[in-house]
Amino acid sequence: MSDDEADPELLALLRQTRGLGPVSASAPPNTRVLETAEFVYDNAIDVSIVSGATKAAAASIWQLMRDKDISTNTWSEHGLHPKAKDESTVNFIFTMDLLNFSFWSTLSEDKRFQIDYKGRSWTGYWSLVAILQRALEEATDSQLRHVFRSSTDEEMPLLDDRINLLRESGAILEEEFDGLPINVIKQADHSAARFVNLLVDHFPGFRDEHVFHGKTVRFYKRAQIMVADLWAAFNGQDFGSFDDVQHITIFPDYRIPQILQSLNVLWYSPRLETKIKRGEEIRSGENMEIEVRGCSIWAVELLRREMVRQHPEAKERFNAVLIDFFLYDFCKQQEEQAKADGTKDDILPHHRTRSTWY
Ligand SMILES: Nc1nc2c(c(CN[C@H]3C=C[C@H](O)[C@@H]3O)cn2[C@@H]2O[C@H](COP(=O)(O)O)[C@@H](O)[C@H]2O)c(=O)[nH]1
């Protein structure tokens, strides 16, 4: 049967699943990240998911998240995150998630890139948040490198890429959205998936796509974390109001795989584990890296389904975004704890891929 004889709805669905052209109004927007994750998992050889540990993790994570009463409020409770429920926070989050990648360092704690702000030193993700808070105080462009300055000899990783991204994305924002991030939100019309697709379609800096076994795989980590940060910062209201936020997956970076592996939810092949243990870099886009990222997404989807099977109320209460936020913070606490009690060498470090994608 040729296309023009096919039922229009079926044709639209076929076009949508093939990621081609406009879809019919009835088909909900789709980022195709979750189908990517299952494909990567089905074709992975260096990473697999351990079902027993996943069931156990689902039970313990449910308990911990319920005891800590994890919710969207958690986001604003972090000292450095902006509190205002207005456009200034949208602009902050847009800029932050444009640059929210690759903070890891091979240097010791006292030598790694860090930011002095409000009387204390910030590293990793929080160094970026501190920089942006500081930038708002020291606004002029010419001080941009000065604002991003490190208090050690190591400058911020991929600093030139970050400044280029600011310039490139600022120009696109100007041309296509009147310079206002809230216009991207308005065009998304309360769909998280459409918001992600808008960012990916208009801003190359968010197009976190790769080729794996001849197929395009989509992770969209920073586009997804942006819609999640907006949703959490605004408690699902106003600029954070999205009807399909359950469509968003975890954000495959270098922290979620690390915590999933330490919970034995992810299994790494001996050759992959050895590479990570030795601190050898894994190139962005190579199979091992794609497998670590894709299997992390799929593992948390299976863990979330198991959590809901064990506790039906989890379906409404804890989506992949809140599980992700919890896992990230849990990973950081575990790392701080390990540093404090000298057991840092007992946990496998995160994998090292230098990339603007995460
Ligand atoms: N999957 C996931 N990745 C996250 C975050 C966050 C922070 N989100 C805050 C907002 C709400 C939560 O409660 C968090 O407190 C940063 N990252 C990523 O990790 C890396 C930085 O790591 P390190 O160098 O150790 O700081 C880097 O790729 C960064 O993009 C998250 O939540 N989920």
Side-chain angles (χ1 to χ4, degrees), residues 74-75 78 81 100-104 112 123-126 221-222 225 229 250-256 324-326 328-329 332 335 358:
T74 314
W75 196 93
H78 288 289
H81 277 158
N100 190 358
F101 56 80
S102 210
F103 304 103
W104 59 266
R112 69 174 293 188
T123 58
Y125 162 79
W126 296 109
K221 180 258 176 182
R222 287 193 286 104
I225 203 171
D229 282 337
I250 60 111
F251 325 118
D253 62 357
Y254 52 91
R255 287 298 177 191
I256 300 301
D324 173 287
F325 284 166
F326 169 80
Y328 171 84
D329 292 332
K332 299 296 286 177
E335 190 172 70
Y358 60 97

Side-chain angles (χ1 to χ4, degrees), residues 118-346:
K118 287 207 182 310
R120 58 161 289 189
S121 172
W122 307 90
T123 58
Y125 162 79
W126 296 109
S127 68
L128 171 65
V129 186
I131 280 171
L132 294 178
Q133 292 290 13
R134 188 166 71 181
L136 291 176
E137 293 158 16
E138 302 175 14
T140 62
D141 243 34
S142 63
Q143 288 180 331
L144 210 49
R145 294 189 80 85
H146 179 64
V147 165
F148 277 78
R149 67 188 178 282
S150 168
S151 54
T152 64
D153 292 340
E154 184 185 44
E155 78 169 12
M156 186 175 213
L158 301 176
L159 180 54
D160 293 337
D161 292 277
R162 296 178 207 271
I163 291 175
N164 292 338
L165 274 169
L166 279 173
R167 288 209 181 95
E168 170 196 275
S169 307
I172 294 168
L173 203 57
E174 204 51 50
E175 280 148 35
E176 302 178 27
F177 297 96
D178 289 337
L180 301 177
I182 54 168
N183 286 340
V184 187
I185 296 173
K186 283 176 186 156
Q187 270 195 48
D189 190 20
H190 300 287
S191 164
R194 193 174 293 120
F195 181 91
V196 168
N197 290 341
L198 275 168
L199 285 180
V200 168
D201 291 348
H202 290 272
F203 298 88
F206 287 106
R207 210 163 293 154
D208 180 5
E209 297 173 352
H210 312 275
V211 176
F212 180 73
H213 292 259
K215 207 168 133 74
T216 298
V217 291
R218 299 164 173 81
F219 293 134
Y220 300 159
K221 180 258 176 182
R222 287 193 286 104
Q224 291 203 95
I225 203 171
M226 185 186 296
V227 75
D229 282 337
L230 287 168
W231 173 71
F234 290 89
N235 290 316
Q237 309 297 314
D238 306 322
F239 295 123
S241 157
F242 297 100
D243 307 330
D244 57 346
V245 72
Q246 73 285 355
H247 183 92
I248 298 297
T249 71
I250 60 111
F251 325 118
D253 62 357
Y254 52 91
R255 287 298 177 191
I256 300 301
Q258 181 183 19
I259 191 69
L260 292 175
Q261 190 278 338
S262 78
L263 293 169
N264 297 315
V265 169
L266 282 189
W267 170 85
Y268 288 167
S269 67
R271 66 177 182 170
L272 172 57
E273 191 164 321
T274 305
K275 265 177 101 78
I276 295 175
K277 228 176 239 156
R278 289 180 181 158
E280 292 171 17
E281 277 209 33
I282 299 174
R283 257 181 321 99
S284 174
E286 75 171 278
N287 280 0
M288 279 185 180
E289 190 237 8
I290 299 289
E291 292 177 24
V292 167
R293 298 185 78 195
C295 290
S296 293
I297 295 176
W298 193 243
V300 175
E301 175 57 17
L302 296 180
L303 186 149
R304 187 192 63 76
R305 292 179 188 177
E306 174 58 21
M307 193 189 281
V308 170
R309 194 190 62 76
Q310 295 172 13
H311 307 279
E313 65 271 35
K315 187 172 176 61
E316 291 311 314
R317 188 168 173 189
F318 296 138
N319 56 23
V321 170
L322 292 180
I323 295 173
D324 173 287
F325 284 166
F326 169 80
L327 287 172
Y328 171 84
D329 292 332
F330 185 56
C331 183
K332 299 296 286 177
Q333 285 151 20
Q334 186 187 61
E335 190 172 70
E336 290 309 309
Q337 186 58 50
K339 269 184 221 156
D341 53 28
T343 59
K344 195 162 182 311
D345 297 338
D346 302 350

Side-chain angles (χ1 to χ4, degrees), residues 22-56:
V23 294
S24 70
S26 61
N30 186 336
T31 64
R32 304 181 63 191
V33 172
L34 201 53
E35 73 186 55
T36 270
E38 186 171 22
F39 171 74
V40 170
Y41 171 69
D42 290 344
N43 292 276
I45 52 171
D46 283 296
V47 184
S48 78
I49 295 168
V50 183
S51 62
T54 302
K55 286 186 182 349

